[in-house]
Amino acid sequence: GNGVAWEEYHYICLFQGLEFLKEKEWPAVPLKWKVLTEEDKRRGYVDARMLLVGQEDEHFALIHHDYHRNEVVVEAISEGVSFQNPDEPVGVHLAVGYEPEDLVVQWNTFGSITRDKPYDPVVLVIDDETKDGIEFSGGRTETYGREDLCGSPANSVGYVEPGYTHTLTMKAGEGLVAGRRYTYFVGDKDRAMRGPFSLIAPVGDWTEAGDDDYVSIFAIADMGEFPIDGFQDQGEEISTQPSVLVVRGMREELERSDSEGSGQWLMVH
């Protein structure tokens, strides 16, 4: 639509490791990618945010897709990029737990974890008003490997070293005062901590609805980046908007499923 032939398109891609160099057919399974625009080429650099993941070095590559031969041509590749401290928590998330008064904290790290060097996830919380400190521990650490995936390309050239996901629940009644603001830090005290972050302790008994009343909450989790409409992707530059058609279809399905029309739907993205 902008007068540029498909065979002239170039991409800036982020890959984990160098195994992608064995691939000849598109796609070569990058972690993230961006179509270079004429403005990118004119100014000589690309402004794009791409998240580092994994223990293996990551590489930026300038790629040209030869549509006539359906091959990927790597025109330039960067030196490896890695975390300065793989034990530093990244991707920190705070969510409500199974009970509305509970809080769940989750984060990722990419440092090696062994029997001799375990990981002890903790959340250190400081009351902004009293300055009193609370330490929450007893979380869990999880990961997966190639053998846990169903097949290629997920466990071959598309495999991404996941690192470790740490999850810890701060349960109601363990020190947090409902409605009060706190500053918190996450990590392993012997490895690395990350913060400060801020939270307000949730308030329980938030509704006085009767037994015959209900509210259904439908939450859509979008942890990645997709074109404006994933069903109509024509190689457009990546944006952070969810697929419009998918969300519209979900809403219509929810409306049809509430046959009696007595419920209230809250759709959250």
Side-chain angles (χ1 to χ4, degrees):
N2 58 3
V4 179
W6 277 104
E7 57 267 21
E8 298 177 17
Y9 272 106
H10 287 75
Y11 306 80
I12 187 73
C13 301
L14 180 65
F15 293 94
Q16 187 181 78
L18 296 173
E19 193 172 355
F20 76 94
L21 292 173
K22 302 175 184 177
E23 290 292 296
K24 292 299 182 182
E25 293 186 0
W26 187 261
V29 200
L31 298 176
K32 295 290 182 182
W33 58 271
K34 180 183 184 296
V35 178
L36 294 188
T37 65
E38 292 303 312
E39 176 63 19
D40 293 328
K41 298 175 183 179
R42 184 191 64 79
R43 64 189 179 189
Y45 67 89
V46 177
D47 184 6
R49 294 186 178 186
M50 298 187 180
L51 178 66
L52 289 176
V53 296
Q55 299 173 341
E56 193 173 359
D57 282 0
E58 296 179 3
H59 300 264
F60 289 94
L62 177 63
I63 286 182
H64 170 223
H65 184 189
D66 188 329
Y67 281 83
H68 297 296
R69 294 184 297 175
N70 193 29
E71 289 186 355
V72 173
V73 179
V74 180
E75 299 190 351
I77 186 168
S78 74
E79 296 291 334
V81 179
S82 61
F83 284 101
Q84 185 175 15
N85 181 5
D87 284 324
E88 181 177 355
V90 297
V92 180
H93 290 272
L94 179 69
V96 176
Y98 288 109
E99 299 297 331
E101 300 93 341
D102 296 344
L103 289 174
V104 178
V105 189
Q106 192 172 71
W107 65 94
N108 295 329
T109 61
F110 298 97
S112 177
I113 297 177
T114 64
R115 183 183 300 273
D116 296 330
K117 190 180 180 183
Y119 192 97
D120 183 19
V122 299
V123 177
L124 303 179
V125 181
I126 301 174
D127 189 314
D128 285 6
E129 181 179 333
T130 67
K131 306 305 179 184
D132 293 335
I134 309 169
E135 178 177 325
F136 292 90
S137 59
R140 69 180 187 272
T141 295
E142 301 168 300
T143 189
Y144 62 87
R146 291 178 186 265
E147 67 279 2
D148 298 312
L149 303 179
C150 58
S152 182
N155 61 4
S156 59
V157 68
Y159 181 72
V160 176
E161 169 61 47
Y164 298 89
T165 300
H166 314 282
T167 306
L168 192 148
T169 299
M170 297 183 287
K171 299 191 69 64
E174 294 184 350
L176 299 183
V177 178
R180 185 169 292 178
R181 182 177 293 276
Y182 295 87
T183 297
Y184 68 100
F185 301 79
V186 306
D188 181 319
K189 291 187 294 183
D190 293 330
R191 290 175 177 248
M193 299 293 292
R194 177 97 182 264
F197 304 100
S198 182
L199 66 85
I200 297 177
V203 179
D205 299 327
W206 55 274
T207 180
E208 296 180 356
D211 294 337
D212 296 332
D213 298 327
Y214 69 89
V215 176
S216 297
I217 299 177
F218 189 82
I220 304 170
D222 175 13
M223 301 301 293
E225 295 182 348
F226 299 89
I228 293 177
D229 194 326
F231 283 137
Q232 299 177 355
D233 176 16
Q234 298 296 325
E236 297 181 1
E237 183 174 339
I238 290 175
S239 74
T240 56
Q241 300 183 57
S243 171
V244 176
L245 291 182
V246 171
V247 174
R248 184 183 301 128
M250 289 180 175
R251 184 194 64 196
E252 293 172 354
E253 182 64 26
L254 292 177
E255 292 173 349
R256 286 194 297 268
S257 66
D258 187 18
S259 57
E260 298 181 358
S262 58
Q264 302 179 60
W265 286 100
L266 175 61
M267 197 168 183
V268 181
H269 174 259

